[in-house]
Amino acid sequence: PRPARPLRMAPSLHPVLPKVIYFLYFCGYGCFSPYLNLFYRSRGLSTATIGMIGSLLPLINFFATPLWTMYADHSKKHKLILILTLVATIMIQCMYVVVPEIEEEETTEIIPSISVLPLIGLSILNSVLNAPGGPLIDTFALQALGRDNSENYGKQRMWGAIGWGISSFLTGMFIDNLSINILIYGFALFEIILVVVIYVSPFKIDDGCGAEATPSKDQQEQEQEPKSVSISLSVMDGDLARDEAFTMCVNMDHREQEAYSMSDEKETDTPDVYAKPSFLQSLKILLTPAMGAFIFVALSLGVVQNIISGFLFLYLKDHFHASTEMMGASMPFSVILELPFFFFSQAIMKRLGVAGCIILANGVYVLRILLYVLMGYFNVSPWFDLPVELLHGLGYTLIWTSGVKYANDSAPPGLESTMQGVFNAVFSGFGSFLGGIMGGLLYTGCGPVVMFASCLPLLVLSLVVFSSMQKYLSSPSRGAMYKPLSNT
């Protein structure tokens, strides 16, 4: 008879390794991502084309990320896939330097000219190849911590924020004094170092169903005749002592139970290996009311986050005539609060619960967007953006740490990377796709102030829907899917 799956122990790794990997990974993207639209503008692309690219790439990422992570989980080649995709991404990024300048007229047409196609092709390849990096690194960090200690994920991810803040600030300074191409060279430098670190390090993502979870003799005697297989999935509250879990039961018919028992009798000389649930069984997790509510709010915040990251610098440059140096100076402000909130994310989730963190993050995004609108309405100095960027650290940190923990705790054994891929695909993929389409059309047709103002109804709707669902799921008649927001 097969016992319930014990918690997987964290692999024996140096605790500094995840921090170093996060630091280098985000140093590279801190050089590149914040200034990508400025790079497109320097090559002569219109705002509509920039918006089209900004929406197309996340859509590709939406499909590519789960496919990469599912393949990594089933092939058990996480390290090889990560290294190869990083190397290929570096090569693609370096090809951006040789792209010639293009002169496109500003228009509301979203169909680009033929001269833009080479740059779009490079961007598509780049999006496909960089898709698995974040989810695989997140899964590695969570396994290095161990399931019992997963709330400390924020203390690892914090080093990514440090790297992003340092590299984005320095890149903004160098662009003004050197060339826009410095963002390509900076990315390549840090990612090459990252590839070397991963190659020489014991980077490994274990199979949650593997032999490392071999049960003891006492555990083998706990159950004699199991009638069903139960996969207990924690519903991410942060406070494990008060967590309430929901259980997905995969009932087996009589014939399947006999085959299951016979296979157990034959496995006397080999370690017990736990079978993974099928794809359809895993898909059931996404159809629960709790997961549906979370996906909706993650999608909504993903839309708004992409509009901010994709069009804020264009807004500052076009509307306020801000310098690149000023925009670079805003980057440390956007990450300065990420550091304490990543570090204390465990305590925050214990205090508020995951639902409370999501509601607070949604409220912070409402305030941030409202301030962007007021800046444009009153036509203030662009330097007023610096204190507004402090809100990024609170809002982004809360939704990201909550999402990563939810995906990790909800993952069936052996599919941890896949669930991280699903969360990344919703927040950074499909949400970014919708944000790019919406942002590009509104920026060109109505202006940046109207573009930001249009985000407010979506955020308010998201806040109302998720809060109402939280109250509904937590009602005594329904059974608590999430811990109530109070600590009593």
Side-chain angles (χ1 to χ4, degrees):
R2 189 168 304 203
R5 181 174 66 90
L7 290 176
R8 181 179 63 254
M9 300 300 293
S12 178
L13 293 171
H14 197 285
V16 175
L17 182 57
K19 298 179 176 67
V20 172
I21 291 176
Y22 272 125
F23 180 80
L24 292 172
Y25 182 77
F26 282 97
C27 271
Y29 281 95
C31 294
F32 183 79
S33 297
Y35 305 99
L36 181 57
N37 283 352
L38 293 180
F39 176 83
Y40 289 149
R41 177 66 62 84
S42 73
R43 290 300 189 264
L45 272 63
S46 66
T47 305
T49 300
I50 293 174
M52 185 275 294
I53 296 176
S55 60
L56 176 64
L57 301 186
L59 181 63
I60 294 172
N61 190 271
F62 172 73
F63 292 104
T65 301
L67 292 176
W68 274 117
T69 52
M70 281 191 290
Y71 176 72
D73 277 334
H74 285 280
S75 67
K76 311 298 186 299
K77 297 178 180 178
H78 302 86
K79 182 174 182 176
L80 178 62
I81 290 172
L82 181 58
I83 290 176
L84 291 179
T85 53
L86 284 173
V87 171
T89 300
I90 295 169
M91 296 172 64
I92 294 296
Q93 298 272 31
C94 291
M95 294 176 67
Y96 277 71
V97 178
V98 300
V99 173
E101 292 189 10
I102 304 163
E103 293 186 5
E104 273 197 320
E105 295 182 0
E106 285 293 338
T107 176
T108 56
E109 297 275 342
I110 62 173
I111 300 177
S113 61
I114 296 178
S115 58
V116 182
L117 295 182
L119 185 56
I120 293 177
L122 288 177
S123 300
I124 291 174
L125 284 175
N126 182 54
S127 181
V128 171
L129 292 169
N130 68 26
L136 292 180
I137 292 174
D138 284 337
T139 305
F140 165 73
L142 288 164
Q143 287 203 355
L145 290 170
R147 191 174 290 268
D148 284 345
N149 203 28
S150 61
E151 289 90 349
N152 284 321
Y153 162 81
K155 295 180 180 179
Q156 314 298 315
R157 178 61 175 77
M158 174 185 72
W159 287 91
I162 294 174
W164 179 281
I166 293 174
S167 63
S168 59
F169 171 73
L170 293 177
T171 301
M173 303 289 288
F174 286 132
I175 287 176
D176 270 346
N177 297 304
L178 297 174
S179 165
I180 189 69
N181 290 336
I182 195 68
L183 62 92
I184 307 295
Y185 305 138
F187 174 87
L189 173 64
F190 286 111
E191 299 305 303
I192 288 173
I193 298 174
L194 174 62
V195 169
V196 174
V197 170
I198 293 176
Y199 180 78
V200 302
S201 70
F203 182 98
K204 183 180 180 182
I205 296 177
D206 293 324
D207 180 6
C209 307
E212 72 273 13
T214 303
S216 63
K217 292 183 178 180
D218 292 337
Q219 291 172 325
Q220 292 178 356
E221 296 174 357
Q222 288 178 359
E223 297 183 4
Q224 297 298 325
E225 295 182 1
K227 301 298 181 183
S228 65
V229 179
S230 296
I231 304 174
S232 185
L233 302 173
S234 173
V235 186
M236 158 192 93
D237 288 336
D239 190 351
L240 294 181
R242 299 171 60 185
D243 256 359
E244 295 193 33
F246 73 94
T247 302
M248 179 183 73
C249 293
V250 184
N251 294 318
M252 306 169 64
D253 60 25
H254 181 68
R255 184 175 301 174
E256 289 174 322
Q257 289 187 29
E258 288 181 349
Y260 183 74
S261 300
M262 291 175 63
S263 65
D264 276 344
E265 292 175 1
K266 295 178 180 179
E267 295 176 358
T268 56
D269 299 326
T270 58
D272 192 9
V273 178
Y274 299 91
K276 294 179 183 177
S278 68
F279 174 77
L280 291 178
Q281 292 166 355
S282 302
L283 188 61
K284 291 181 181 179
I285 302 171
L286 303 178
L287 303 180
T288 62
M291 180 67 82
F294 172 75
I295 287 178
F296 177 73
V297 73
L299 178 65
S300 301
L301 297 188
V303 169
V304 176
Q305 180 60 44
N306 181 262
I307 289 177
I308 295 173
S309 60
F311 296 95
L312 176 60
F313 279 6
L314 292 178
Y315 175 44
L316 295 175
K317 188 176 184 65
D318 295 343
H319 193 85
F320 300 99
H321 308 290
S323 66
T324 309
E325 182 177 356
M326 176 268 150
M327 290 183 274
S330 71
M331 297 309 298
F333 280 81
S334 67
V335 300
I336 192 171
L337 285 186
E338 281 191 27
L339 307 184
F341 281 105
F342 270 130
F343 188 83
F344 293 108
S345 60
Q346 177 185 14
I348 294 172
M349 278 193 281
K350 282 185 176 181
R351 177 70 177 176
L352 299 179
V354 169
C357 289
I358 293 171
I359 291 172
L360 179 57
N362 202 324
V364 170
Y365 273 93
V366 171
L367 177 60
R368 187 180 178 189
I369 290 295
L370 181 61
L371 291 174
Y372 288 143
V373 173
L374 294 176
M375 283 178 59
Y377 182 79
F378 292 104
N379 200 27
V380 298
S381 168
W383 292 94
F384 276 90
D385 176 61
L386 299 187
V388 177
E389 292 311 298
L390 292 173
L391 295 174
H392 170 82
L394 175 59
Y396 177 79
T397 302
L398 288 175
I399 187 61
W400 188 260
T401 52
S402 299
V404 168
K405 178 164 172 54
Y406 188 90
N408 183 67
D409 290 350
S410 299
L415 295 180
E416 290 84 356
S417 294
T418 300
M419 290 302 294
Q420 293 299 331
V422 169
F423 169 63
N424 274 263
V426 171
F427 183 81
S428 302
F430 195 62
S432 295
F433 162 71
L434 295 178
I437 290 285
M438 176 179 170
L441 294 177
L442 289 174
Y443 193 103
T444 303
C446 305
V449 177
V450 174
M451 177 193 70
F452 282 117
S454 65
C455 296
L456 291 174
L458 175 63
L459 289 172
V460 172
L461 176 64
S462 172
L463 185 61
V464 170
V465 168
F466 184 79
S467 300
S468 301
M469 182 63 71
Q470 155 65 24
K471 184 176 181 180
Y472 172 73
L473 293 174
S474 298
S475 63
S477 61
R478 299 296 304 173
M481 294 292 284
Y482 286 108
K483 182 179 65 179
L485 300 185
S486 65
N487 292 305
T488 58

